[in-house]
Amino acid sequence: MKTPVLLCVLLFSQSWAFEFIIDGEWESETSGPLDQSGRYRRSVLTSEEEDFEAIQGNDITVKSYKVESRITSRFAHTTVKSSVFNSAPKAQSIGFNVQIPKRAFINNFTMNVNGITFVGSVKEKTVARNLYAQARARGKAAGIVRTNSQAMETFRTEVHVPPGSKVEFELHYQEMMQRKLGFYQHTLHIQPGRLVPQLQVDVYIFEPKGIKVVTAPNTLGEQFSDLTKITHTKEKAHVVFKPTVQQQRKCENCTESAVDGVFTVKYDVERESNAGELQVSDGHFVQFYAPSDLSPLSKNIVFVIDVSGSMWGLKMKQTVEAMKAILNDLSMDDYFNVIDFNHNVRCWSEDLVQASSIQVDEAKKYIQSIKPNGGTNINEALLRAVQMLVRASNQGLIDPRSVSMIILVSDGDPTVGEIKLSTIQKNVKRTMREDFSLFSLGIGFDVDFDFLERIALENRGVAQRIFANHDAAEQLKTFYSQVSSPLLRTITVHFPENTVNNVTQNRFDKFFSGSELIVAGKLQATDLTTLQSFTTASAANMDLNIQTEADILELDSELGTHQHSFTGFARQMWAYITVNQLLAERSLAPSAGRKRKITQRIVALALEHQFVTPFTAMLVEGEDEGRTERLIAGSSIDSRHGCCSATASLSGPIPVQQLVYQNPPWARPTDDPIPGGASNPVEATGTHEAILPEHVTIVENDPHFIINLPRSNMDICFNIDSKPGHILNLVSDPGTGVTINGQLVGSKKKKNNKINTYFGTISIYSKTDSVQVIVGTDRIDLMEDGNNHSFSWGVTAELMLNRIKVTIVKEQHVTVMIDGRISVMVLLHRVWKKHPVQVDFLGIYMSNDNKYSAKVHGLIGQFAQEPEVKVYGVHEGADPKKKEAIMEVKGNKLAVTRGWQKDYRLDKKRGSDVYCWFVHNNGKGFVDGSYTSYILPRLDSFLSAL
Ligand SMILES: *[C@@H]1O[C@H](CO)[C@@H](O)[C@H](O)[C@H]1NC(C)=O
Ligand SMILES: *[C@@H]1O[C@H](CO)[C@@H](O)[C@H](O)[C@H]1NC(C)=O
Ligand SMILES: *[C@@H]1O[C@H](CO)[C@@H](O)[C@H](O)[C@H]1NC(C)=O
Ligand SMILES: *[C@@H]1O[C@H](CO)[C@@H](O)[C@H](O)[C@H]1NC(C)=O
């Protein structure tokens, strides 16, 4: 009954170990180096780029073409399906071609030909090949995978089918979204090559933390911009494109399709400022970290530019244009130099120079005047660049917190001096220092990009191919902007002991603004309910330690309720990152034995997670009248680029580490259950000594000051009724250089005909350290000498700036400790967002043990030297519940009222009572002078003498 099917399969890769079959014959089965197949490869590239068509064949009917991507937590699973009918009167080959991103792994391919289903499974390459060879021996044959240039590869299948045949194709691939310049970009090539009755593209995004923005920019051209529909809720987005046949037409009556290009979805996720995001699903975890509100580190950059003869013309013109823009972007804190090389190496300046506008202009003139000619001496040029950085470092010109990098721009292989690539690689690695990075940009296709990539990977950088076309200058600038803003150095992500294993790369040399660091792994212990991670890093003038937490079950139960989410994402993401790391490690492995070991690990993972890698192939099998039919699809060794992220520079073999980390005591939130009842401060003092000193002066609510006087063993309270916006001085100490001010906010509405005021911002400024910490109800700013770092209340972190330690406990409190001597805790009070009256406000807690100088003053500071206080004549007041008394202080006799205020350190909702004697009239008589003399113009102002 079943008609015989002739399947035609080509196996091809951009790099060199390729084998392919035409009409069931292996035409070549070499696994040799590039030059054995290079010529053929290039001719394929050209035709490939010119006439890509998703479905090929004459006189065929394409009934449907559907592409669906499910992106969950930055991991994408894409399915491309098409249904085709051979309406020609004769047998013919029908081609199904898909452009897939180079970074993606094919997972599955199935085909149905006249009812016979062929199902794919990933096998070790030789196994697949042997099974395939058996099938071939019986005269059956198989499919194609072919890679081409750029960032895409082409998957290609051809089936030879009789007239009237119906063929259904289905391809699956997976990839991790990489954040660049602040966005994730998902691209799909939609080039059906003809009008299709059912043409549909769906992209579903699910991000547990929320989607900040999603767009489909310039997708397939102007004419379709209105046809692309985006729906978007907090965590989900759906982008759909479903043009009718009429809408697909290039012009009113033509049969050509205007749908021919790239469908792009760009998005970014919500994140708490500078907090990490930890997700756990299906026994795996993924930690994301993409801080943004940090001051950039300064840079030392040496640009090494190839000006050999081959750069002549457009390439040089574009390089000059890009370099001018790049140099303009340097800031006064940066140092730079330019080295240009052909057979000779010239340095624009002997040493690194500061990027002042004069120097930048000089350098631009120099670059403009370069006339490319001669050979290529990459070795000498790179060594000179490294020496220049080493010299600057030895001379103490390099700020230890700055970032040093070499950016190489080249379009050709070395022809002069040392030309052996492996020797150049060794020379550079030997001279580079651990804290320098090399980024390499290859222009055009005459350059051995694998070499540029190896040399970059080995030296903590990344490589990028620049296509030598009209927008080469734009590509260079874009690459530069990805590395121009380093925010962190030496980043390590670690986990408590015995909680995780098989962790992917968890140490990163640098973090660049707009990118993202990702660490994945498996959960170890089974009785965990939450997983924690700790990220340590250095920012400009600050060391930070961020804590992140995730519930083990929460995400899975949530994923289960969302249609179109990709439930296995964490497991596949872990495998994806691990395989890519192993591929990079393999390309740098020094011995064949080591390479073999790594290959085995790659194969094992690829089989388990169904990835077509350079070492696995997909065997596609079907049954035809009891006989097994097989086809094979795969790619070849080294065709894939190893590095996992532009942000995460690998250095040498992957430094994955199992780290032991203790949960630091400061990371404990205040609303942890306290043994013995939450509202009894006395019982709790022992356990929370650091943040719960016994003698503490408090400002809470609308603002109520509670001054603790330990010698007299009493608390005195007063209110300050000032105006919203006013800045009040709390502590002003010219001796230690510390000033603490608070700014008032008003409630949203009047209550009892009066706007209540609260502290909305607290500033703690240490003049000696030139550090100011501004705690607001929405964020926490740390400023140091022109650097400005912001954190949201959603982060748990410990930060060190000079002698200042800032501890943030998520949504709870911030403690600022100056030189271990002065400590202030600011407690966050959040109200319901739509509360008609109340606003978010801050409470302030200062230990009486703070070591101020004798000159300290301020509404609170003046009580550091405890005044003599006498309270007597206690009697019933107008309100029977409130006793009254006389207080003698500072030579004044005041009428005071017994009352109580709240200490919210242990129970933020109800607080615990602090009994105090209340002084009326804004503390008149108790506080030196009038409260108005404590009003200051700025948050960092000191109080002048009263
Ligand atoms: C590949 O897809 C086919 C058809 O959808 C399915 O039956 C098969 O289980 C898939 N294979 C894998 C490994 O997911
Ligand atoms: C398209 O075809 C219709 C019917 O044949 C004709 O009336 C119309 O003018 C054509 N339009 C164009 C732009 O050629
Ligand atoms: C600090 O930076 C944040 C954003 O990064 C900005 O909103 C804030 O105004 C800055 N603060 C100061 C005092 O410059
Ligand atoms: C994961 O870690 C365990 C324990 O360290 C080890 O035995 C196993 O081989 C690792 N698996 C992979 C895939 O790396």
Side-chain angles (χ1 to χ4, degrees), residues 512-546:
F512 296 104
S513 179
S515 65
E516 184 167 57
L517 298 177
I518 302 183
V519 178
K522 296 186 174 195
L523 290 189
Q524 194 179 329
T526 49
D527 57 348
L528 282 178
T529 53
T530 56
L531 178 67
Q532 284 181 316
S533 73
F534 300 91
T535 305
T536 59
S538 310
N541 295 309
M542 177 174 72
D543 289 331
L544 45 85
N545 186 342
I546 308 266

Side-chain angles (χ1 to χ4, degrees), residues 829-845:
H829 293 276
R830 277 235 196 275
V831 298
W832 171 46
K833 254 208 178 77
K834 290 180 183 151
H835 195 291
V837 183
Q838 267 285 19
V839 286
D840 293 347
F841 68 96
L842 303 169
I844 301 131
Y845 295 78

Side-chain angles (χ1 to χ4, degrees), residues 251-254:
C251 55
E252 198 180 314
N253 287 346
C254 36

Side-chain angles (χ1 to χ4, degrees), residues 273-274 292-295 772 774 779-783 786-791 939:
S273 171
N274 294 325
S292 56
D293 299 329
L294 300 169
S295 283
Q772 186 182 11
I774 299 180
R779 66 162 197 272
I780 300 128
D781 289 332
L782 278 68
M783 276 166 294
N787 291 313
N788 175 0
H789 307 295
S790 282
F791 292 81
L939 276 173

Side-chain angles (χ1 to χ4, degrees), residues 52-54 65-68 78-80 97-99 152 173 187-193 196 199-203 219-220 224 241 243 257-264:
F52 177 86
E53 258 185 321
Y65 188 78
K66 292 182 179 174
V67 181
E68 182 190 283
T78 301
T79 310
V80 184
N97 306 321
V98 185
Q99 301 251 54
M152 309 300 277
Y173 62 85
T187 49
L188 299 166
H189 283 246
I190 311 295
Q191 294 157 292
V196 180
L199 177 66
Q200 184 161 354
V201 181
D202 290 285
V203 177
T219 286
L220 297 166
F224 296 116
F241 174 64
S257 174
V259 179
D260 180 17
V262 181
F263 188 87
T264 307

Side-chain angles (χ1 to χ4, degrees), residues 317-342:
K317 201 167 154 254
Q318 301 244 11
T319 305
V320 170
E321 187 194 322
M323 278 306 301
K324 285 185 178 170
I326 289 169
L327 292 173
N328 275 340
D329 187 58
L330 294 173
S331 90
M332 273 295 276
D333 295 332
D334 297 330
Y335 284 77
F336 78 108
N337 203 343
V338 179
I339 293 178
D340 60 305
F341 70 99
N342 42 24

